[in-house]
Each structure stands twice: as structure tokens, then as C-alpha cells.
Amino acid sequence: MEVNPILVVGGGPAGLEAARGAAELGYRALLVEKAATLGGEPIHADYATITPDLEDAGTAMGRMIDAIAGDPLVEIRKETTVVAAAGEPPELTVTLEGPGGREEVTVGAVVVATGFQHFDPGRETQLYGYYEFDDVITLVDAERMLKAGHFIRPSTGEPPKRVCFIQCVGSRDRQIGNVWCSKVCCGIACKEAIEIRQHLPDCQVFIFYIDMRMYGFWEDQLYWRAQEQQKVNFIRGIVTEITRRGDTLVIKGEDTTMGRPVEVAMDVVVLSVGMEPSKGTREMAEIFGLPLESHGFLETVGGPLDTVTTPKPGFFAAGAATGPADLEDSVSMAGAAAMKAAGFLRRQALAAAKSA
Amino acid sequence: MEVNPILVVGGGPAGLEAARGAAELGYRALLVEKAATLGGEPIHADYATITPDLEDAGTAMGRMIDAIAGDPLVEIRKETTVVAAAGEPPELTVTLEGPGGREEVTVGAVVVATGFQHFDPGRETQLYGYYEFDDVITLVDAERMLKAGHFIRPSTGEPPKRVCFIQCVGSRDRQIGNVWCSKVCCGIACKEAIEIRQHLPDCQVFIFYIDMRMYGFWEDQLYWRAQEQQKVNFIRGIVTEITRRGDTLVIKGEDTTMGRPVEVAMDVVVLSVGMEPSKGTREMAEIFGLPLESHGFLETVGGPLDTVTTPKPGFFAAGAATGPADLEDSVSMAGAAAMKAAGFLRRQALAAAKSA
């Protein structure tokens, strides 16, 4: 009996590793990606480098893509989405919609690796003026400029003299409903601050934060490096308003360490936007009938002791589809999901052989 | 040709999941644990509950142990250590030393899951008086009292009225050489603070911290819950000295949010001790010839995109043997390591079949 392939939804770091892992174990993988290119947010959002090792994002993702390219066990469908599903694993019929129209395929198990979307800072935190001021940008906009090799002040095209990051935009915020910490923004802000200082040694860089969540080795790899080698200024404080005075942005808030109001001029303000459940995650939850946990990400069972198994047999999740995740989390979970999906198919095959 | 088993060194959360994963894929696992019982630190250090879901630690670890107990593909050797290794995977000969003496076995691949050890707070940070004052304890001592169901002041046997936690003991500290953040201590302190308040509603609980690293869902699951439901007091500050006045401990330091000196009396002080490379990790690195990264944990290759592959073919690592790790990290990495170890054996078997 032919074993049906493992459907992997999403071609970012988690999806690429899940497909590679399935093939490494001798199982077929069918990788479906809605975009025209693989690589997920690091590619689609034009990241310059990855965190924490500052490897070029294109090189890093290229290595992951190369690891499955040409593998006869991995079939890749780009510009394709899952639009319907019927039956259940290991005989799940999914309807794919791609450049060639609609098609039904039967898959044995599913790994949902649909990632996250960045918080839209113009949506509700209007106090930061993202859509009002050209020089208020996001971590993603900053990444794109770093990738292009010219970090500028958008309103003038000139290199900025003073740049600040504001942490926790769209995270840890009950007012907008995002009560979680997005986990990676502290690390990414430190990384970008280092890169801006390397690129523009005359530019002063400030990071306004609540807690710098530089866990594990990020502490010395990024946080100490930013402070000691690159002289990035960390200010524990709350920014309450961004206004414009002449052609300069004015940041108003409170330095909570010094216990005094802050009013400082900046050329560029970078909003450290957090992670939200992606549209793709919500769509796959709907189509596959997978429950969401209280924050709106995919629910997994087993508390901290099982990060990838969903409540529905044969369905697994990996990466930021399950909640805020860094790259390490995503690839570890993807490896575990590949193992469990293959294990599921193996158990099904053994049961079928036994009953035959 | 018989495929040699995957040797898993260490029977904590990572090792249990790696062995289970290997068996789920149809590979034999040989699980070696130096202690007389499985379950790792949660069992050996008498944890009351696990983080972040406060499940009883014995129940949680029992579930992981049950998942491999009786599996014909998993062989478990307790009170056994690896004392020598020769050759290389997939024909690695390891010498085991256990209750029955020494024995040589041939294994196909290795997953090192030797975990961490808790920082010894009496070792160098004498300013906290861990060996001097009975009422200065660690997160682990607190866990043991919570497990026993009576959280007391050790010097009197009475329930304390005021308890404080001091974060980052043995972490983020260049003076003692531990420059990393141990990642989990903020979450564990919050969890224990919640439990102390549940157990002793009249006891005030304080947490002295630098940054509360409550990433992802820990933010609302533990941090907000501790603040809002349990009225735990979080004080951003530096504790410089613990002394005794009469029969009370006096905590001296600085509240860095209020910018003023702090001198407060406490009945019990809990030191939030961090993670260090375990003796077992260092021994396995030596015996297997595995390099250590700059902090002294096992080195893995591939930066953030491969968390489990060591530089030596056929050797993988999982959990806190590679650096500070929470339970989610450990089981995700273990799943990935099981997949990669099985993938390694599959590639070797295919190559052998081809050359035969």
C-alpha cells in the first residue's frame, strides 16, 4: 500500500525543515506555499540578516531551500493554497488552488507551518503616528533598508543622526488585545541597532524598553555586544507620544529608571512590532477544523511537553503558527513535527497491515 | 543487516522524548540514565509542578516515562553511565558501567541529553549568605517545600510572612563567568510566587529583578497572573547584601525604578539560581570528543537553523545540554534529534545497501 504524503502548509523556516525532515525519514512531503517564493517572512519581508548570528537572510534561507530542492521525496507547489479538506488522515483529501487551477490530492498527515504576521502599528496605536510621519517606521522597514545597504531617514534620504527603537508595539498590550510577549522583538531590535551602528558609526541609537528579554545566549551575543561594542543606549521607559517639531520627530515619555520625563528629538523612530496569528493560520484552522488557543494561535496538546501535536489526529503544527517563536523554536518544532507525522503514518501502516 | 540502536544519554524530559521519538519511528533506542530513576531534574530535584502550566511534576514526568515503558524498541539502563567510546557511528562501541559491571555495546547514533546543573549560590556570590543563613534558600529548595505541601521558614518551622525572590543568581554575571541568561528562572520564580500565595494567602511575596523575561504566553499565563490575581510585588532592583538583624533577614539594595535605596526585612529569601553545563554534559563531551561552545555547553552547527546537530556525524544533542532551555525547547529539540538520528541511520543503511 502506497503511503500518502505529508502535507506541509507554509514554506518558511518551519515548513522547509518539516518537509526536509519528512523526506530524511523516507516519507514523501507535499509542500504548499501561497507565495511565488519559498523562505517565509525572512524572504518575503526582505530581512537583511537573521537573529542572533547576523547571517545574511538570503544565504540562510537559501541553504534551507537547497536542502529540499531536487529531493525526489519533496514536491513543492508555489502560489498554491489549501482551499478545502474532507475526510481525515491518513486519507485526507485536500483541495489545492494554484496556477493550474484546482486539484484534489490525498495526504496522510498535515504539518501546519503558516507562521505569523507582523502587527500593523497604524491599526490602533495611533499615538506613534506610523501612517502620519514618514520617519516612523517598523522593524521590518528597517530590515529592508539594511538589506539594501542604505539606512536613511525616509523624509530626506539622508543618513539619520539619531535613531530610536520603541519596544512592545502590538505586544504586552491589553488595550489592543495582544496580551502576549512576542519573544523575538528585543533580539531583533538589538541586532538592527548593532547593524545601524556598524553602517552609520556617527549615528546615535537608543532603545526604549520595558524589559529587555534577551534570553539564553542572546544576553551576551546581542545585548552586551550592542551596549559595549556598539554603544547603543538602552532606556527603560514608556513612550506616550510622538510628535513633529519642524523636521524632527519628538519622543515624549518617561524614563522609568531615572524617574523623570523624557523629551528627545529623533530623526528616525523604529517601532518594534510584534507577532500576531497570520491570516494563513486562521484560514487553515478553519479549513482543517483545528481549535485555536486563547491568544488566537493554533492549539497544541500536552502543555509544555508536546509543542506540535494538535487535538486532531494526524494534524501537527510547527513554528509561529502556535505562538511567538524564534528561529530555533521554529526549526526544533519542525523537526519534532516531521518525526510525529512520520510516526503517525507508521502506526497507521502497521495497523492496516495487522488488520489485512 | 541489523540497524544498531540510537543511544540516548540522559533520562530527563529531552532524553525521554528522544527515546520515545526514535521508537515511534521504528528505531531501537538504548536509554542510559545515571540515576536510579527516570525524569531528570523535575524528579531528582523534587519539583512540585512544571512551568508554565503548574501540572504536578510527578504526573507530567510519569506520563513521559509511561510513554516508553514496555516499548519493545526502548531498552532502559538506570544507574548506568557511559565511560568510554571507540569507533564512530553507525558502528560506535560504547562502554557502559552499571549495576552489573562494565559492558560494551554497539550503537548507530547518539543523542546527548545530559541537561544542566543548578548554579551553586554558595560558590561565589557569598554576599547572599546561602550557606550562612538557614532562611536563604534556592528556587530548588522552595520547590521541594512546595512539593511537600508546607512552605516554611527553615529556621523556625513557621509559615513566613514575607518572602522575596532574587533573580539572576549565577546568571548575567561576568564576575562569576556566567554571562548567559538562564532563560527559565523568571518564569519559575513567578510560578513559585503564585504557589506560595495560594498556599499562604497571608504571606507577602516580592520579586527583585533586572528584566522580567516572561516571553511568549508566559506574559499573561504567569506574569500578569502573579501580579493581578496573586498580588505578587515586582521590584526592579539590585540586591547588594543580605544580613541578619535579630531573627530576620535584611535585604539591602536599590530600587532602580524609584531610584532609591531599599532596606527591607524578609523571613525567607529565595535565590533564583540559573543553569550551568552539567557534569554529565562535560563528561560526555570529553568521552565522545564533542566540542563545547563558548559558554561551556555542547556546540551545535547551523546557527539558529539547526539546534541539535553537533559537528561530529551521528552525534546529536537535545535540551539544556546545549544551553539554557525550557521544557518546550527540550522536547522540541528531542523530537528533532530523534528525527535526525533516525535520518542518519537511514542514510547509512541506504549507502550500505548501495555498496553491497
Side-chain angles (χ1 to χ4, degrees):
Chain A
M1 193 186 87
E2 173 98 359
V3 174
N4 291 322
I6 296 169
L7 173 68
V8 178
V9 186
L16 290 168
E17 176 62 5
R20 197 201 61 73
E24 184 168 359
L25 293 169
Y27 290 81
R28 288 187 297 146
L30 172 60
L31 177 63
V32 169
E33 165 58 48
K34 68 176 188 304
T37 51
L38 297 175
E41 281 297 284
I43 297 304
H44 302 141
D46 289 322
Y47 290 8
T49 59
I50 60 172
T51 303
D53 66 358
L54 279 69
E55 184 182 8
D56 176 82
T59 306
M61 291 304 115
R63 204 166 60 239
M64 296 196 82
I65 294 165
D66 288 348
I68 55 168
D71 189 321
L73 289 174
V74 181
E75 185 181 353
I76 299 168
R77 303 281 184 93
K78 297 175 193 171
E79 296 179 83
T80 298
T81 53
V82 177
V83 293
E88 57 190 47
E91 297 287 335
L92 178 77
T93 303
V94 295
T95 306
L96 305 180
E97 189 168 87
R102 289 200 171 199
E103 179 193 3
E104 285 192 350
V105 293
T106 303
V107 300
V110 178
V111 177
V112 183
T114 40
F116 68 96
Q117 66 188 34
H118 288 97
F119 175 72
D120 174 356
R123 200 183 70 188
E124 296 175 66
T125 49
Q126 291 294 340
L127 72 166
Y128 293 143
Y130 180 66
Y131 289 135
E132 194 178 347
F133 305 130
D134 289 345
D135 297 337
V136 176
I137 65 175
T138 69
L139 278 183
V140 186
D141 301 322
E143 201 69 42
R144 194 168 288 129
M145 289 203 286
L146 289 164
K147 184 180 172 70
H150 62 120
F151 189 88
I152 54 156
R153 192 173 164 188
S155 67
T156 63
E158 297 297 312
K161 290 282 186 198
R162 291 166 65 87
V163 173
C164 78
F165 290 78
I166 299 176
Q167 298 305 108
C168 302
V169 176
S171 304
R172 305 181 66 178
D173 187 337
R174 187 171 275 156
Q175 274 195 302
I176 58 161
N178 293 4
V179 298
W180 59 89
C181 157
S182 291
K183 194 170 185 178
V184 303
C185 336
C186 285
I188 294 172
C190 267
K191 179 198 75 92
E192 291 187 359
I194 290 169
E195 292 170 320
I196 292 169
R197 288 280 301 158
Q198 289 173 333
H199 184 59
L200 301 171
D202 293 334
C203 179
Q204 285 184 284
V205 179
F206 302 81
I207 297 182
F208 288 92
Y209 70 98
I210 310 175
D211 297 278
M212 282 307 293
R213 294 193 165 161
M214 308 299 291
Y215 47 81
F217 300 155
W218 289 13
E219 177 77 12
D220 62 316
Q221 285 173 335
L222 292 171
Y223 191 34
W224 293 16
R225 181 176 168 193
Q227 289 177 68
E228 296 176 359
Q229 291 177 29
Q230 299 298 338
K231 312 299 179 199
V232 174
N233 303 286
F234 290 83
I235 300 169
R236 189 169 195 260
I238 295 161
V239 174
T240 51
E241 197 183 3
I242 299 174
T243 56
R244 189 162 44 191
R245 188 179 297 154
D247 61 355
T248 300
L249 295 170
V250 178
I251 311 305
K252 291 179 185 170
E254 190 191 344
D255 180 328
T256 53
T257 299
M258 305 304 286
R260 64 185 180 200
V262 172
E263 190 175 313
V264 284
M266 291 290 157
D267 297 329
V268 173
V269 174
V270 185
L271 305 179
S272 290
V273 288
M275 291 190 183
E276 294 189 324
S278 70
K279 185 164 167 281
T281 297
R282 285 176 274 129
E283 284 170 357
M284 290 309 104
E286 181 75 26
I287 287 169
F288 293 131
L290 297 173
L292 301 175
E293 52 75 61
S294 68
H295 308 87
F297 294 88
L298 289 179
E299 183 182 331
T300 54
V301 297
L305 299 179
D306 186 340
T307 54
V308 301
T309 302
T310 78
K312 283 190 74 169
F315 288 90
F316 306 91
T322 69
D326 60 25
L327 285 169
E328 287 91 333
D329 296 336
S330 294
V331 300
S332 294
M333 291 171 75
M339 179 272 281
K340 293 202 179 188
F344 173 81
L345 292 178
R346 181 172 170 271
R347 276 198 307 280
Q348 298 292 330
L350 289 176
K354 208 169 181 180
S355 69
Chain B
M1 193 187 86
E2 173 98 358
V3 174
N4 291 322
I6 296 169
L7 172 68
V8 178
V9 186
L16 290 168
E17 176 63 5
R20 197 201 61 73
E24 185 169 0
L25 293 169
Y27 290 80
R28 287 188 298 145
L30 172 59
L31 177 63
V32 170
E33 165 58 48
K34 69 177 188 304
T37 50
L38 297 175
E41 281 299 282
I43 297 303
H44 302 139
D46 289 322
Y47 290 7
T49 59
I50 59 172
T51 303
D53 66 358
L54 279 67
E55 184 182 8
D56 176 81
T59 307
M61 290 304 114
R63 205 166 57 238
M64 297 196 83
I65 295 165
D66 289 348
I68 56 169
D71 189 321
L73 290 174
V74 182
E75 186 181 352
I76 299 168
R77 303 281 184 93
K78 298 175 191 171
E79 296 178 82
T80 298
T81 52
V82 177
V83 294
E88 57 189 46
E91 297 287 335
L92 178 78
T93 302
V94 294
T95 306
L96 305 180
E97 189 167 86
R102 289 201 173 200
E103 180 193 2
E104 285 193 349
V105 293
T106 304
V107 300
V110 179
V111 177
V112 183
T114 41
F116 69 97
Q117 66 188 35
H118 289 98
F119 175 73
D120 173 357
R123 199 181 72 190
E124 296 177 67
T125 50
Q126 292 293 338
L127 71 164
Y128 292 142
Y130 180 67
Y131 289 134
E132 194 177 346
F133 305 131
D134 288 344
D135 297 337
V136 176
I137 64 176
T138 68
L139 278 183
V140 186
D141 302 322
E143 201 70 43
R144 194 168 288 129
M145 289 202 285
L146 289 165
K147 183 181 173 68
H150 63 120
F151 190 87
I152 54 157
R153 193 172 162 189
S155 66
T156 63
E158 296 297 312
K161 291 283 186 197
R162 291 167 65 87
V163 173
C164 78
F165 290 78
I166 300 176
Q167 298 305 108
C168 302
V169 176
S171 303
R172 306 181 64 179
D173 187 336
R174 187 171 276 157
Q175 275 194 302
I176 59 161
N178 293 4
V179 298
W180 58 89
C181 158
S182 291
K183 194 169 186 180
V184 303
C185 335
C186 284
I188 294 172
C190 267
K191 179 198 77 93
E192 291 187 359
I194 290 169
E195 292 170 320
I196 292 169
R197 289 279 302 157
Q198 288 173 333
H199 184 58
L200 300 172
D202 293 335
C203 179
Q204 285 185 283
V205 178
F206 303 81
I207 297 182
F208 287 92
Y209 70 97
I210 310 174
D211 298 276
M212 282 306 294
R213 294 192 164 161
M214 307 300 292
Y215 47 81
F217 299 154
W218 289 14
E219 176 76 12
D220 62 316
Q221 284 173 336
L222 292 171
Y223 190 35
W224 294 15
R225 181 175 167 194
Q227 289 179 67
E228 297 177 359
Q229 291 176 29
Q230 299 298 338
K231 312 299 180 199
V232 174
N233 302 286
F234 289 84
I235 300 169
R236 189 168 195 262
I238 296 161
V239 174
T240 51
E241 197 183 3
I242 298 175
T243 57
R244 188 162 45 189
R245 188 178 297 154
D247 61 353
T248 300
L249 296 170
V250 178
I251 311 306
K252 291 180 185 170
E254 190 192 344
D255 179 329
T256 53
T257 300
M258 304 304 288
R260 63 185 179 200
V262 173
E263 190 175 313
V264 284
M266 290 290 158
D267 297 328
V268 173
V269 174
V270 185
L271 305 178
S272 290
V273 289
M275 291 189 184
E276 294 188 324
S278 70
K279 185 164 167 282
T281 297
R282 285 175 275 128
E283 285 170 356
M284 289 309 105
E286 181 73 26
I287 288 169
F288 294 131
L290 297 173
L292 301 175
E293 52 76 61
S294 67
H295 308 87
F297 294 87
L298 289 180
E299 183 182 332
T300 54
V301 296
L305 300 179
D306 186 340
T307 55
V308 301
T309 302
T310 79
K312 282 190 73 168
F315 288 90
F316 305 90
T322 69
D326 60 26
L327 285 169
E328 286 91 333
D329 296 336
S330 294
V331 299
S332 294
M333 290 171 76
M339 178 273 280
K340 293 201 179 186
F344 174 80
L345 291 179
R346 180 172 170 270
R347 276 197 308 280
Q348 298 292 329
L350 289 175
K354 207 168 183 180
S355 69

